[in-house]
Amino acid sequence: MHTVVVGTSGVTASDVLAVARDGARIELSGEAVAALVAAREIVDALAAKPEPVYGVSTGFGALASRHISPELRAQLQRNIVRSHAAGMGPHVEREVVRALMFLRLKTVCSGHTGVRPEVAQTMADILNAGITPVVHEYGSLGCSGDLAPLSHCALTLMGEGDAEGPDGVVRPAGELLAAHGITPVELREKEGLALLNGTDGMLGMLVMALADLETLYKSADVTAALSLEALLGTDKVLAPELHAIRPHPGQGASAANMLAVLKGSELTGHHQDDAPRVQDAYSVRCAPQVAGAGRDTLAHARTVAERELASAVDNPVVLPDGRVESNGNFHGAPVAYVLDFLAIAAADLGSIAERRTDRLLDKNRSHGLPPFLADDAGVDSGLMIAQYTQAALVSEMKRLAVPASADSIPSSAMQEDHVSMGWSAARKLRTAVNNLARIVAIELYAATRAIELRAGLTPAPASQAVIAAVRAAGVQGPGPDRFLAPDLEAADAFVRAGGVVTAVEPVTGPLA
């Protein structure tokens, strides 16, 4: 099994995916352990002084003015975890919770939090044992970080609350820790606060969304090319010299992908035949411009994610010179903005894909295809309602594109009077990504059927490869009406698994 070593300088997106989705094991580097020891010595020294230090010997948030005596500090740290573990609603997905815990461990190991090595090791042990704290949908305002979700994770470290075992069964956390030989931690000064104060949940969801969207954007280029081909469109608009004079990198990459898919097609270039067209519709002709803008949005979001992955997000932080200073680095605005931006781009990509599907199904605009791609139109409805489903998904995508980060709601007696809502932005982006996969799958289903109905014209080799692969995956071709939902589910699974990209790349070479 792959092992991820956590040091002091952050982690990579690949590390997050390996731990969250693939169950990779975690080890702490010697450098990280040394940094943990050094930072803890600073915290212990400050805890022994009579002067109050925020997070070490004071209360929290709006209660930070109270100096806490030494005999109450362990209770203080336990209490902050228990009181902040106040989430409600459905359980958050296992991969999200694993990413959340792993990214908090990343910051703990930076040496800027003052947490003891044994606490960090227990976090790693819990992840390695496949124990997943129960985290709820609601409870984070994205400032000071993802407080309630992280609190539910810290509660598991204490052996309290509920968690899911490697078998998927939810049990008391103390029982699960005991079953795996893990001793619950007794939190000391600053440690409760340090386990709660970060943007880890929204960052984990951003990293996973970026990975999923990279595959979906490549898949969308392929399905757009298939739709262009099925509509007898022209590939001349994809010429590199046209995109070179508007040098957005994503646009050029999308156009190049589409052109590679269409190479060798006998279906393109018939726009001047029986019903001459000067130009294809925008949804066909401007596919690279829309998908390309989304790709450039991905590139920007990836830059933000990389910066955040290299960050130590906590308050207060331990600095190398021995100071423990309050700060505002826990604010989720940088991550929240790009989460919302990605939802906007995904909604537009879904919207243009739906317009191409609708064109394939409309006999007045499909240039010779049967109505709704039906076998016997009137007796058969074909893909009429598949497009309804796609339209419903697009409509929801538009609602999900409304930014969460434009909102703020004050909390903590107005101490935390401006929050990022980054967790909410991340949660709705996950829904948007899932919807986008379904939308692309429906376009794939329609475009492959339409190409097969173009008798006498040979599609591009890459198109043939996609059609063969999707049929092998259980997605049926043209014919009389049948129970359609299983076909759509199979197409969706094919898209999510990267099947579109895997099918074409042996023919086209690696897609950009």
Side-chain angles (χ1 to χ4, degrees), residues 263-356:
K263 185 177 181 181
S265 174
E266 291 183 2
L267 279 75
T268 58
H270 293 274
H271 57 295
Q272 294 295 321
D273 289 353
D274 297 336
R277 287 166 276 159
V278 176
Q279 301 175 113
D280 289 317
Y282 282 13
S283 60
V284 177
R285 187 176 9 134
C286 301
Q289 283 76 10
V290 172
R295 284 168 164 271
D296 291 341
T297 303
L298 284 180
H300 171 60
R302 194 172 291 112
T303 297
V304 172
E306 288 169 355
R307 291 170 181 160
E308 198 75 359
L309 287 167
S311 301
V313 178
D314 193 18
N315 178 50
V317 293
V318 181
L319 296 174
D321 61 8
R323 286 180 294 147
V324 175
E325 295 286 1
S326 294
N327 66 91
N329 285 342
F330 50 73
H331 200 287
V335 183
Y337 293 165
V338 293
L339 288 163
D340 280 333
F341 198 176
L342 289 173
I344 292 169
D348 202 32
L349 185 63
S351 178
I352 197 170
E354 184 275 330
R355 287 294 80 205
R356 290 190 294 265

Side-chain angles (χ1 to χ4, degrees), residues 229-250:
E229 194 173 22
L231 290 166
L232 305 180
T234 176
D235 60 358
K236 289 184 178 180
V237 296
L238 304 173
E241 59 269 23
L242 294 175
H243 298 278
I245 61 175
R246 194 190 191 195
H248 293 287

